[in-house]
């Protein structure tokens, strides 16, 4: 399965919106939405409307939890990101994590550039359950937000041999020397 956590951090510079529309990427099911200013949410197909209180607040943060089923073994993941159509400027970071022995390779996509996993925002890092395998920064261009295309190769777990010792012997030598002064 593929789990997509999206932390949406909005700064309102004009107006006092009482609701915010978020478009969801294709193929994902909305599992949950949280946020300190979130009054309620209403999913509607490929979008969710977030009702906020108070409307005069200038900053809102929401955590969207999305999931979709994936195939067993190796697979190709082509995915978009949740977007807020009414925004003037949109930038973000993407962190990739996985369970097991994986190799993740990404195709080059305009508007999406690879970054070091140590540079990922601490809020995003704290949401990770596993070690981060790859990370990207993006900025929405005129054609919309970029999509992420990954090839995920899963390797079988290797058997580990247990070491058994029938006997252990430890030998030690102690030397005591007296140093005198005249």
């Amino acid at each position: 399965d593929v789990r997509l956590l999206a932390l949406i951090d909005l700064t309102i510079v004009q107006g006092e919106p009482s609701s915010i529309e978020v478009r969801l990427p294709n193929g994902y099911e909305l599992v949950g939405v949280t946020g300190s200013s979130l009054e309620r949410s209403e999913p509607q197909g490929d979008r969710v409307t977030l009702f906020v209180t108070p409307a005069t607040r200038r900053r809102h943060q929401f955590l969207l939890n999305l999931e979709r089923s994936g195939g067993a073994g190796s697979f190709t993941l082509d995915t978009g990101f949740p977007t807020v159509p009414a925004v003037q400027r949109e930038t973000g970071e993407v962190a990739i994590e996985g369970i097991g022995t994986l190799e993740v390779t990404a195709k080059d996509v305009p508007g999406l550039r690879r970054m070091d996993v140590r540079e990922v925002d601490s809020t995003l890092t704290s949401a990770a359950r596993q070690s981060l395998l790859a990370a990207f920064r993006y900025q929405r261009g005129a054609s919309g937000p970029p999509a992420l295309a990954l090839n995920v190769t899963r390797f079988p777990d290797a058997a580990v041999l247990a070491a058994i010792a029938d006997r252990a012997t430890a030998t030690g030598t102690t030397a005591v020397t007296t140093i005198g002064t005249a």
Side-chain angles (χ1 to χ4, degrees):
D1 288 350
V2 175
R3 179 178 73 117
L4 174 63
L5 283 178
L7 177 65
I8 298 176
D9 189 359
L10 296 170
T11 302
I12 309 297
V13 293
Q14 183 179 9
E16 295 178 354
S18 60
S19 65
I20 297 163
E21 180 183 306
V22 179
R23 287 196 187 141
L24 305 176
N26 291 332
Y28 285 91
E29 177 186 344
L30 180 66
V31 177
V33 182
T34 59
S36 62
S37 61
L38 182 66
E39 184 178 297
R40 72 180 195 282
S41 63
E42 291 181 4
Q44 303 148 357
D46 67 341
R47 70 187 83 177
V48 61
T49 302
L50 308 175
F51 293 91
V52 297
T53 183
T56 56
R57 193 171 184 176
R58 292 285 170 221
R59 186 151 186 235
H60 302 279
Q61 273 193 339
F62 307 104
L63 184 65
L64 278 68
N65 187 358
L66 304 157
E67 290 183 356
R68 82 179 203 194
S69 60
S74 300
F75 61 95
T76 300
L77 176 66
D78 292 314
T79 186
F81 310 116
T83 60
V84 179
V87 299
Q88 294 175 352
R89 185 174 62 113
E90 181 178 342
T91 60
E93 293 181 355
V94 179
I96 309 298
E97 63 177 327
I99 298 172
T101 309
L102 302 174
E103 178 184 25
V104 177
T105 54
K107 299 175 186 172
D108 288 334
V109 176
L112 190 69
R113 66 181 197 279
R114 196 171 189 105
M115 63 186 275
D116 192 315
V117 295
R118 295 174 293 188
E119 297 175 20
V120 172
D121 185 86
S122 61
T123 308
L124 191 56
T125 304
S126 66
R129 296 179 183 169
Q130 306 294 323
S131 296
L132 298 181
L133 303 174
F136 303 89
R137 278 199 178 98
Y138 74 91
Q139 183 165 359
R140 182 171 74 176
S143 62
L148 181 62
L150 293 175
N151 289 321
V152 180
T153 306
R154 185 175 302 278
F155 298 101
D157 292 332
V160 178
L161 297 174
I164 299 174
D166 290 333
R167 181 182 346 157
T169 305
T171 306
T173 305
T174 303
V176 177
T177 305
T178 304
I179 300 177
T181 58

